[in-house]
Amino acid sequence: MRLSRHFLPVLKESPSDAQIVSHKLMLRAGLVRQTAAGIYAWLPLGQRVLRKIADIVREEQDRAGAIELLMPTLQSADLWRESGRYDAYGPEMLRITDRHDREMLYGPTNEEMITAIFRDSARSYRDLPRTLYHIQWKFRDEVRPRFGVMRGREFLMKDAYSFDLDEAGAHHSYHRMFFAYLNTFARMGLRAIPMQADTGPIGGDLSHEFIVLAPTGESEVFFDKQWEEPVSRYVVDYDDKDALMEGFYNMLAPYAATDEKRDLPKEQKIGGDLKQSRGIEVGHIFYFGEKYSKPMNLRVQGPDGSEVIPHMGSYGIGVSRLMGAIIEASHDDNGIIWPDAVAPYKVGIINMRIDDEACTAAADDLYARLQKAGVEVLYDDRDERGGAKFATMDLIGIPWQIVIGPKGIAKGVVELKRRKDGEKVELSIEDALAKVTEA
Ligand code: ATP
Ligand code: MG
């Protein structure tokens, strides 16, 4: 994409209404604009990153055996009366009346709807286990929407729901999601620590929150220092029930919880191996048994012909919140440093002198060849000073930047810069092309 034709409204100054760095940078880099309290429009660059985050989430859900569908944002109040949550949910729920005076709501979550959908067609034990998920907008009328997309009112969530014949099966489904989550966040360059959590308004008895450490995070957390060690992906066989369970318990051996009092060995004190910090909740998984299946009358026929009430779990990831969390974890004074996996473009080309024929010919040619190679490239061909172009590329966080200037071109070289560490090398155009294509 040529920057001269793009819609990429970057801001020079930090907006005064933004308190935390990710919110400031999201506004400055032209990723989002607020359209109402806690409601955001995703500008082209933000939309590209949001899609990449959602794609990673989707791939890891699919790999763990979950099946994608898409449920609507609007739901009927009657559905929520079946579980008893319509009255219980409180003012976070946006309630709407249609022209026929039917009570509707903008879904804050989808346990009721998925249970009803599953109930319609699941008949026997052969229809289980199943885990279904969607990536869909949610609305929660938060008292204090803040920190940009971090705590919005409308936000994008991946929510999955598992249906199993018994508790042991439901635990296997839970363990699948547990590892799928670790892999999802690792692919985005995040260290998300699974922490024992309160089961909250959804209720239940097995629950973990995935927390990215950040001083600006809303949750206070306690964890063993082992959790700070970086990790890569976990190679697991999602179908191997026993190995998965063993991996799960091994993984959770070092202490991590959102409340210090939870199961903390007595001898542990903050200061030694136990650390206290703040963190951002990017995901939350629950096992809650028959909490919805029972009142909503979901029944299937078991292998021996008897009626079985399926055990359920639900598994959320804050897809839009993740963008804020990634920026909190990866930025510097100049702007965002996108991990390659979610960057809006992999390569940026900076043409230092659009009035110089040789420069422009070289930059145009490189741009065409990168596009042909299928590399996502943003070409700064604007009539602007070099300094402004450098600042923009760094602000919007493009991982690889190729600078083309008249002096270099005269020698047959360009400069390749890595946004992450600022490392710069002079290379021939061919070598630069090969390097970024292979990376
Ligand atoms: P929180 O404690 O932050 O309000 P929650 O426990 O209400 O979160 P869940 O119902 O488990 O959240 O939702 C799943 C995920 O959706 C959360 O882990 C979080 O990443 C994301 N999420 C929840 N509320 C918001 C919000 N207001 N804005 C953006 N993302 C959110
Ligand atoms: Mg909440």
Side-chain angles (χ1 to χ4, degrees), residues 140 142 149-152 155 157 202 281-284 286 316-318 320-321:
R140 293 182 187 176
E142 303 275 359
V149 301
M150 208 72 98
R151 182 164 298 281
F155 59 96
M157 195 205 281
I202 295 184
E281 179 196 322
V282 290
H284 199 168
F286 296 93
I317 290 183
S320 49
R321 177 181 286 185

Side-chain angles (χ1 to χ4, degrees), residues 130-242:
R130 293 288 187 278
T131 295
L132 299 167
Y133 77 96
H134 72 161
I135 299 175
Q136 177 62 293
W137 296 93
K138 303 288 183 289
F139 193 95
R140 293 182 187 176
D141 204 352
E142 303 275 359
V143 213
R144 237 162 50 97
R146 57 180 184 156
F147 301 156
V149 301
M150 208 72 98
R151 182 164 298 281
R153 293 199 297 164
E154 189 187 43
F155 59 96
L156 191 59
M157 195 205 281
K158 184 286 300 179
D159 37 325
Y161 305 90
S162 62
F163 298 89
D164 280 272
L165 281 179
D166 54 24
E167 183 167 347
H171 283 177
H172 182 204
S173 297
Y174 188 93
H175 300 150
R176 280 175 189 263
M177 281 294 137
F178 181 88
F179 282 101
Y181 275 41
L182 290 174
N183 282 333
T184 301
F185 301 130
R187 278 183 67 183
M188 296 171 193
L190 290 175
R191 179 63 160 122
I193 306 175
M195 302 200 176
Q196 298 174 61
D198 266 339
T199 44
I202 295 184
D205 44 14
L206 181 58
S207 171
H208 288 90
E209 286 177 3
F210 290 77
I211 303 276
V212 173
L213 299 180
T216 50
E218 291 183 288
S219 320
E220 182 161 53
V221 297
F222 303 86
F223 58 93
D224 189 284
K225 68 166 197 265
Q226 286 179 56
W227 285 110
E228 285 177 321
E229 285 157 27
V231 288
S232 47
R233 307 193 54 188
Y234 298 89
V235 183
V236 288
D237 176 356
Y238 285 111
D239 291 327
D240 188 338
K241 199 169 173 171
D242 296 333

